[in-house]
């Protein structure tokens, strides 16, 4: 994963919990840096995105 900077984060609170985002819990989505309150929330988001991408890819087959 590339180095992500919290200064580039598009949100201030975790979309899952509503708590403040942390620098060690960032990911990139559609070219934007998205922050989470912990790595567990970040990983849950990443897993959900992979799931939906696989489902969308299968729908076009």
């Amino acid at each position: 994963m590339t180095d992500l900077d919290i200064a580039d984060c598009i949100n201030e609170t975790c979309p899952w919990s509503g708590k403040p985002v942390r620098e060690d819990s960032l990911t990139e989505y559609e070219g934007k840096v998205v922050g989470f309150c912990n790595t567990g929330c970040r990983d849950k988001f990443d897993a959900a995105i992979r799931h939906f991408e696989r489902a969308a890819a299968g729908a076009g087959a």
Side-chain angles (χ1 to χ4, degrees):
M1 180 181 282
T2 61
D3 290 329
L4 301 176
D5 190 335
I6 198 163
D8 298 325
C9 190
I10 62 170
N11 58 309
E12 295 180 5
T13 58
C14 176
W16 295 112
S17 71
K19 296 177 183 177
V21 300
R22 292 187 350 200
E23 185 145 15
D24 69 345
S25 302
L26 304 175
T27 194
E28 190 172 354
Y29 177 67
E30 295 187 350
K32 307 287 186 198
V33 177
V34 182
F36 297 87
C37 66
N38 61 58
T39 57
C41 284
R42 180 202 59 208
D43 295 348
K44 182 167 64 168
F45 176 81
D46 286 341
I49 295 306
R50 285 191 305 275
H51 172 78
F52 289 122
E53 287 172 344
R54 282 192 305 272

